[in-house]
Amino acid sequence: MPGFVAIKILRALVTLLICVTAVFVVLRLAGDPADMLLPEDTPAEIKAEYRQRWGLEGSIPEQFGRYMVALARGDLGVSFADGRQAAEVVFEAMPNTFLLGLSAILLALMLGLPAGLIAALRHNGTVDRLLMAIAVAGFSIPSFFFAILLILTFSLTLRWLPAAGTDTLWHMILPTLALSAALVGKLARYTRTAMLDVLGQPYMRTAKAKGLRHSAVMLRHALPNAAVPILMFLGIEIGLILTGAAVVETIFAWPGLGRLLVSSAAARDLPVVQGVILLVAFVIVLSNLAVDILHAMLDPRIELIRRNPAT
Amino acid sequence: MRMVARAPRPGMPWPIRLAAGFLVAITLVALLAPLIAPYDFATQNLARRLRPPVFWGGEWAHPLGTDNLGRDILSRLIYGIRTSIAVALAGTLIGAVTGTFLGYIAARFRGWLDEAIMMLVDVQAALPAFFIAIACIALIGTEIWIFVVLVSLEGWERYTKLVRGLVLSQMGAGYIRAVEALGAGRLRIDLRHVLPNIAAPLIVQMSITFPWVILLESTLSFLGLGIQPPGTSLGQMLGAGRNYLLQAWWIAVLPGALIFLTTLSMSQFGDWLRDVLDPTLDR
């Protein structure tokens, strides 16, 4: 177990290091930002000044060294757009995305989990089919289309809820709904599969055979075993949430990381784009690592897989 | 070739027939776009802007209405489908071929090459294609061929993991040892015997990846980072229509509904295909 965890942590660190290097290579080697951003007739000395301010002078290895040292100190450079520290801009947006993502996950758990459980218990019945049809629709609908339907219905036609901004709790409802649709659908389907898997196990038959009440069988034996894959699902789908956030935040004018990324990409504000992307990679690697370790703790068989190279 | 005993194929249930029919129709529209579009998709007519669809008070001259520049929505939808399907198809194919190739190399050569490729898979898993695409677009801009390559990043690592595992498990299979003993070369074994035997899960994986690629394409175009005007795609139409929701809902809703129906049909069809071809593949 400790060996397994150590290897996983090492792999996560190497993955992060490659991400950091790849971002540097992609963002710096494709061209000189000073040439791309400043007007063509900019005098050479002003260009040199900008290069110095953006950390662009010197050879590529020199730049890479400075970049790594700065990164270790949490310094992402200066935003091309407004001259503030890029790290400051990124961290300012982070709590908003965290809040929106958390409320979407909570909603997904509140809707998707029961839907999946009911579908599994009514396997192949009408309720099952109906719930699964809704679930498939939930993760097939593009988040931007769903968001626009929500705005059309609840903001423009019924005038119940605001379509943009962050002033009150009411402002959170539509973005949360838009962000969680895909998650609810996937979670419902995943929960159903996990439950069906558990319900087919021999220990379930044993539990029933020894005369336990139906509710006890479900609560004591079925749910805890189905919980492992469901928990892992949330860790794995963190990327889906972050991608969805970019779209939903842009549509609902929610000042989070996603909206920041899209607007800085359009404005070619490279330090900010780089900051958001590194943060996303960091969060995903960390949550994948947490999932792996949690999985190994809950299911000791996992360690065996590592020794079998064919898997 | 090894034959695998399979359960008798169930007939196509009606929702799958419906989905398959829709996909065929969409493909025909994409192929025949120049023949069936009533107008040029870029022709503007400011005198006829923001006309509603025919059953909401519009006229038959523009059955699905016009947009803010007076362009015919039906024609724009037809060409939008053409672009979106072409980009998604190219992206899916490039991703499938690259991913399969890398998975094959990893399984065949093992060692450091295997490690390096699996590391690449890990990195892709840490950074969704959407974010890589945004970074590259921020840097290089929105040229169509770059866009297709970026879209193809969606899901390639799934093929690599799938093919690597499949090839590794096939290499030990009895029938492979048999053809080896008969003196067949490695390339012949891989192309004539291994590939046909891993084709079914590959096809299923492609049908699962295709809707993701469509979603990635339309999301980026919606955000204004994908297909640029004067070109058109479904996502781009929706993004442009967002500003006219109050006066002209149809500009955004019609392309959105088309994207939704396409991804829905494709995932329904893909699920069915998986159940028929390969019940063991996980989703």
Side-chain angles (χ1 to χ4, degrees), chain A residues 262-282:
Chain A
V262 172
S263 61
S264 340
R268 298 196 162 185
D269 189 350
L270 299 183
V272 176
V273 170
Q274 167 192 317
V276 176
I277 287 191
L278 288 179
L279 188 62
V280 166
F282 186 72

Side-chain angles (χ1 to χ4, degrees), chain A residues 111-300:
Chain A
L111 296 178
L113 215 53
L117 287 177
I118 292 169
L121 294 177
R122 299 268 180 275
H123 185 41
N124 278 341
T126 316
V127 178
D128 179 20
R129 275 162 216 251
L130 192 70
L131 283 174
M132 283 309 110
I134 299 173
V136 173
F139 66 76
S140 297
I141 195 165
S143 51
F144 49 87
F145 180 49
F146 189 51
I148 274 178
L149 288 183
L150 286 174
I151 291 179
L152 258 177
T153 315
F154 294 104
S155 303
L156 297 180
T157 309
L158 297 170
R159 301 191 170 273
W160 286 354
L161 292 165
T166 52
D167 301 337
T168 64
L169 268 182
W170 296 107
H171 287 86
M172 271 190 76
I173 296 180
L174 291 186
T176 301
L177 279 174
L179 186 55
S180 66
L183 209 56
V184 172
K186 282 199 168 186
L187 185 62
R189 206 155 104 145
Y190 199 81
T191 307
R192 176 179 177 269
T193 313
M195 269 306 273
L196 285 178
D197 204 36
V198 170
L199 291 178
Q201 297 289 328
Y203 58 76
M204 289 303 291
R205 213 179 324 142
T206 312
K208 266 182 250 170
K210 71 183 184 189
L212 283 182
R213 267 179 299 120
H214 185 67
S215 57
V217 175
M218 286 302 149
L219 290 176
R220 295 280 302 276
H221 295 270
L223 264 182
N225 281 298
V228 180
I230 293 167
L231 213 61
M232 292 189 38
F233 165 84
L234 285 177
I236 291 164
E237 292 298 343
I238 191 92
L240 179 82
I241 301 172
L242 290 170
T243 312
V247 176
V248 169
E249 288 176 0
T250 304
I251 295 180
F252 290 99
W254 185 270
L257 289 173
R259 181 162 167 248
L260 181 67
L261 179 66
V262 172
S263 61
S264 340
R268 298 196 162 185
D269 189 350
L270 299 183
V272 176
V273 170
Q274 167 192 317
V276 176
I277 287 191
L278 288 179
L279 188 62
V280 166
F282 186 72
V283 168
I284 293 179
V285 167
L286 215 61
S287 69
N288 284 352
L289 180 67
V291 163
D292 279 341
I293 293 176
L294 204 66
H295 196 187
M297 275 162 60
L298 293 172
D299 190 347

Side-chain angles (χ1 to χ4, degrees), chain B residues 98-129:
Chain B
T98 318
T100 304
F101 180 72
L102 288 176
Y104 169 76
I105 297 277
R108 265 301 181 203
F109 294 97
R110 305 303 305 268
W112 67 268
L113 204 58
D114 187 15
E115 290 292 329
I117 290 175
M118 291 325 275
M119 206 65 233
L120 221 57
V121 167
D122 275 5
V123 172
Q124 177 68 65
L127 254 184

Side-chain angles (χ1 to χ4, degrees), chain A residues 11 15 18 26-27 30 36 137 140-142 144-145 148 152 156 189 193 243 246-247 251 261 265 268 270 277 284-285, chain B residues 119 122-123 125-126 128 130-131 134-135 138-141 218-219 222 238 245-246 253 256-257 259-260 263 267 271 283:
Chain A
R11 263 194 103 88
T15 308
I18 296 180
V26 167
L27 291 186
M36 277 162 35
S140 297
I141 195 165
F144 49 87
F145 180 49
I148 274 178
L152 258 177
L156 297 180
R189 206 155 104 145
T193 313
T243 312
V247 176
I251 295 180
L261 179 66
R268 298 196 162 185
L270 299 183
I277 287 191
I284 293 179
V285 167
Chain B
M119 206 65 233
D122 275 5
V123 172
F130 175 77
F131 293 100
I134 284 206
L139 189 83
I140 312 169
S218 51
T219 302
F222 171 80
L238 212 158
L245 277 184
L246 202 53
V253 170
I259 301 172
F260 177 36
T263 51
S267 42
D271 277 359
R283 24 193 79 148

